[in-house]
Amino acid sequence: MKHPRRLVAGLTTLAIAGAVAVVGVRLQQGAAAPGGQAVAVKAKPGADTAARKQQINKLLSARAAAVRKGDVKAFLASVDSKDAKLVARQRMLFANLRQLGFLKLEYSLANEHEVPRLVAKYGPTAFSSRVLMRYQLAGLDAKPVQTDVAYTFVRRATGWMLVEDGAIDEVLSPDGHRQPWDFGPIKVIRRGKVAVVVAQREAALGQKIAIASQKAATGVRRHWSRPWDGSVMVVAMPDAQVLSLLWTSGTGRGWTIAAKAVPVYEGDPTGMRKAAPAGTRIVVNPSVRKELDEDLLVHEMTHAATQRLGRQGPMWMVEGLAEYIRCAVIEDDPAWTVDPYRKQVRKTLPSMKALPGRAEFGAAGSRSYGQSWWVVEYLVDKLGEKKVAALYADLASHENGADAILKKHSGMTPAQLLAAVKKFRG
């Protein structure tokens, strides 16, 4: 029999399952947001500057140790006790961080920023800086990854004190620093290799998403032949700012995105990212978090499973594989089908002019997802899942030579593949 929810997924959620139209809030490192006052500066030479850096790094190290040990008193010892709101935010941060399960956690000063308004507010000792947070989550990250925060410290009789924890956010990495633990109390739910982060008040929703996520990861592993243990964090928070994603709606380049697989990296989040990701966060659009199901998660889980191979693959392969596995998992159950989706995609084949790339996805995202699925469906029919996985890995790890790699694995040029795909009936 046909499962109506799955048919809807096959016809409509496909257009919102990808990562093409996500718009990041982009600001250059060191540049102030409109109305901002932070200016990146080089540290002034001298014993005082070196001593200050050493003292504040020691303070930051103590805060990291306090999280690992579960010592809230030590964590708050360097927070300005006169600012009740700051203390409350930092206490919440500590409670959130304690749920995550760190293998490693370190903080260190990065680049200093001069902020005249904060100097005017706190006095001449006010010191503002971007601070790197280097961490590794148990069972999720292959290596330590980094994000950043913005802190302002003031010298008091007892030592340096934290007085601001978000006054210069404009100097931070645009797509990394707005972490889920920064937006209200959270609940972390672990189920197998999957960790789900939700708002504390939505713990029941988190349990539901954790069950669906574990099923999705299992489904991906059935159809992805290369090693992946199913480790991933799913973030389903109500706040749209989490991880700085901007959720949009409309048509063309503004079509709604339901979720995005966000890679996390070992190096400074403002630097060039040529190495493979060390982990993945699947971030769910707040507007669909309560309807989230296995269909959408399988697509994004496929990205989580493949991102560590590299990110050089052509879009038709990256999104086509995710859609192939999504559809395959649906049809693992004989009660479900994506036949209506097949019929819809077949109708677009006569007008297909190229293997879908960025231009095609930008102009017609829904159609491009379907056609990319059809390309991979054809390749699996011709080569099998294992050989397609090998093709994917080769493409993903090489910035150039995609045509030669395709020819090596499939015996076809892109033009020959396109012609074969248009004739393929599935």
Side-chain angles (χ1 to χ4, degrees), residues 53-101:
K53 182 176 182 179
Q54 183 179 34
Q55 290 161 7
I56 295 179
N57 273 332
K58 185 177 180 180
L59 177 157
L60 293 170
S61 179
R63 281 169 60 84
V67 173
R68 296 193 300 268
K69 296 175 182 178
D71 188 344
V72 65
K73 184 177 180 180
F75 185 79
L76 296 174
S78 56
V79 178
D80 184 8
S81 60
K82 297 178 182 178
D83 188 336
K85 291 183 178 179
L86 175 63
V87 172
R89 287 197 305 272
Q90 289 291 306
R91 188 180 295 276
M92 179 203 73
L93 174 62
F94 175 84
N96 287 347
L97 293 175
R98 282 291 298 165
Q99 296 185 59
L100 293 169

Side-chain angles (χ1 to χ4, degrees), residues 223-228 276-277 302-303 305-314 316-318 321-322 325 376 379 383-402 404-406 408-410:
H223 295 280
W224 176 245
S225 62
R226 300 182 79 85
W228 181 58
T302 302
H303 290 318
T306 57
Q307 280 180 342
R308 293 180 190 179
L309 296 173
R311 305 189 72 200
Q312 306 300 330
W316 64 263
M317 173 57 90
V318 173
L321 180 73
I325 293 181
V376 176
L379 287 171
L383 304 174
E385 288 183 344
K386 288 186 178 181
K387 289 185 178 180
V388 169
L391 168 60
Y392 185 104
D394 207 353
L395 287 169
S397 60
H398 291 89
E399 187 172 357
N400 301 304
I405 291 171
L406 176 63
K408 180 179 73 173
H409 288 267
S410 70

